[in-house]
């Protein structure tokens, strides 16, 4: 990927508010946790927490849109509030 994690972090942080509207329309919440090796980590909460469709929301809504806006190889992984211990220890945040 031609972008550093720091560059991706800034771009993702700028574009996520527009995508967050979709998540909020389903009474969910979304927070950006950071980037590591071209993978963005977002936290899903509210009605998204534990929802069986949350993976679909992550891949078909959040990841798809970020790939269109930033880079076609960008990956997005969702993390629930109780899974922060599974995040990379050297996550790039901005």
């Amino acid at each position: 990927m031609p972008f550093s994690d720091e560059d991706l972090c800034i771009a993702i942080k700028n574009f996520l508010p527009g995508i967050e509207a979709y998540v909020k329309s389903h009474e969910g919440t979304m927070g950006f946790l950071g980037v590591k090796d071209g993978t963005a980590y977002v936290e899903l909460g509210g009605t998204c927490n534990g929802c069986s469709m949350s993976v679909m929301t992550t891949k078909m809504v959040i990841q798809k849109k970020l790939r269109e806006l930033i880079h076609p190889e960008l990956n997005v992984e969702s993390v629930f509030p109780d899974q922060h211990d599974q995040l990379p220890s050297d996550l790039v945040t901005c």
Side-chain angles (χ1 to χ4, degrees):
M1 183 168 295
F3 301 108
S4 69
D5 285 339
E6 291 80 9
D7 291 337
L8 288 172
C9 191
I10 293 166
I12 292 165
K13 190 172 183 177
N14 287 326
F15 284 117
L16 272 185
I19 300 168
E20 189 176 18
Y22 173 82
V23 176
K24 285 183 177 181
S25 75
H26 292 265
E27 299 182 21
T29 61
M30 181 178 71
F32 177 48
L33 301 172
V35 180
K36 178 64 183 166
D37 297 329
T39 297
Y41 293 87
V42 296
E43 179 181 81
L44 297 177
T47 58
C48 294
N49 189 3
C51 175
S52 62
M53 295 300 290
S54 63
V55 172
M56 200 64 121
T57 298
T58 301
K59 298 298 180 183
M60 299 305 295
V61 176
I62 302 168
Q63 178 174 283
K64 181 180 178 190
K65 191 63 177 175
L66 288 176
R67 282 181 170 184
E68 290 172 8
L69 294 167
I70 300 171
H71 194 277
E73 295 176 15
L74 179 67
N75 292 309
V76 178
E77 295 293 330
S78 58
V79 177
F80 294 114
D82 61 342
Q83 296 176 320
H84 283 231
D85 60 334
Q86 298 174 19
L87 290 170
S89 60
D90 53 350
L91 195 66
V92 174
T93 59
C94 50

